[in-house]
Amino acid sequence: MQHNPASRRARLAGHLFMLAFLAAWMAYSSVVDSYVMPGPWAVAQRLVQMFGDVHEVKHMLYSFAHIIAAVAISFVIGSALAFLAHYLSITAHAVHGRLNPFLNSFSGIGWTFLAIIWFGISDVTVVFVISMVLIPFAIINMREGLGNIDRERLEMAASFSRSGWRRFSLIVLPSLLPFIFATIRISFGVAWKVALTAELFGGNTGLGYLLNLARQDFDMPLVLGVIIIIVAFVYSTDRFIFAPVQSVLARHHGAN
């Protein structure tokens, strides 16, 4: 695949930016104490140690489990509320005019403090906090999806079949696929930001908890290592998993 000159220049600019960033990092780390800003080499060495330490690898896996559980829970609850408001119109104002604005405006820190009181320092607290922050994303995206379903196709399907399940599985669900995927993609990225806060204050496992331990020990290479792991994982997942799938969905549904 050939890149046009503009694309090559953009990629070159991106590489130059990263080199400039590394150079600035190295320069700054050379004039301050290591507990303030360690150099890139020290952070790289600490990253290697992390992946060789079973205890620290477990914290990575715990964070991943928190994210997966919260994304699944928030998607199910948010979708159920969106379907309820769509098919039972009497509830639409309660869901979209009252509940969703409240959930969307209440902060992750607030949910964290409440969850600590209700569930203590635990994995349940972390998953609860992430889920509560993500539910509004699911409600909004699924509401848009339900509102964009082709009514003529539904009416035509109703004329051929009385089965509501067949209409749902053959018309509604395929039409919602891009919105379902968009919900999961957005939720996955946001979840990592919320997870750090939830694990930092309300968890006893995960990368956020590990970050707190590193802060207490003034282990700055570990602090930066955790940040790099999260950024690299989220970027890689979005670039190499979510983006290709969305491209396929866009071509398929664009053709329709």
Side-chain angles (χ1 to χ4, degrees):
M1 180 179 178
Q2 294 182 346
H3 298 281
N4 58 46
S7 176
R8 287 197 297 269
R9 287 194 295 269
R11 290 169 64 87
L12 178 60
H15 295 322
L16 291 175
F17 173 80
M18 289 303 301
L19 290 174
F21 173 78
L22 287 173
W25 181 4
M26 293 178 64
Y28 182 65
S29 64
S30 67
V31 297
V32 298
D33 293 327
S34 60
Y35 66 85
V36 175
M37 178 60 71
W41 178 244
V43 175
Q45 288 179 312
R46 191 63 182 86
L47 279 170
V48 173
Q49 293 176 9
M50 282 184 68
F51 285 99
D53 188 318
V54 174
H55 179 69
E56 293 180 350
V57 170
K58 283 183 179 179
H59 281 296
M60 299 181 203
L61 297 178
Y62 271 115
S63 282
F64 187 71
H66 293 158
I67 297 297
I68 296 301
V71 169
I73 291 170
S74 63
F75 176 76
V76 170
I77 295 175
S79 297
L81 289 170
F83 275 101
L84 178 68
H86 184 77
Y87 288 106
L88 191 61
S89 58
I90 195 174
T91 66
H93 186 68
V95 173
H96 299 304
R98 294 291 185 267
L99 179 61
N100 199 46
F102 166 73
L103 294 176
N104 205 26
S105 61
F106 199 64
S107 69
I109 291 290
W111 285 121
T112 302
F113 290 153
L114 289 176
I116 291 173
I117 296 171
W118 294 338
F119 310 116
I121 305 297
S122 65
D123 293 327
V124 174
T125 290
V126 175
V127 174
F128 174 83
V129 172
I130 302 171
S131 300
M132 295 305 293
V133 173
L134 295 182
I135 286 173
F137 293 97
I139 294 175
I140 293 170
N141 276 283
M142 297 308 292
R143 176 188 183 182
E144 290 299 313
L146 290 166
N148 279 277
I149 295 176
D150 191 336
R151 301 301 170 189
E152 293 183 359
R153 293 181 66 186
L154 284 176
E155 292 174 2
M156 184 180 299
S159 66
F160 285 104
S161 173
R162 295 183 179 180
S163 172
W165 170 249
R166 284 178 60 83
R167 293 197 298 272
F168 177 81
S169 61
L170 297 177
I171 302 296
V172 176
L173 189 58
S175 299
L176 289 177
L177 280 179
F179 297 91
I180 292 173
F181 181 78
T183 301
I184 295 173
R185 185 178 186 180
I186 293 172
S187 297
F188 185 80
V190 174
W192 280 100
K193 301 176 184 179
V194 182
L196 270 186
T197 302
E199 291 172 348
L200 187 65
F201 293 106
N204 49 21
T205 56
L207 288 173
Y209 175 73
L210 192 62
L211 197 65
N212 192 32
L213 295 180
R215 178 190 60 82
Q216 294 174 11
D217 296 334
F218 292 96
D219 189 352
M220 276 301 293
L222 179 57
V223 171
L224 295 179
V226 169
I227 294 172
I228 289 172
I229 287 173
I230 293 173
V231 172
F233 184 77
V234 174
Y235 173 80
S236 299
T237 304
D238 190 78
R239 172 73 182 276
F240 300 111
I241 297 178
F242 287 135
V245 174
Q246 184 163 359
S247 178
V248 171
L249 288 174
R251 288 198 301 270
H252 175 73
H253 288 271
N256 292 337

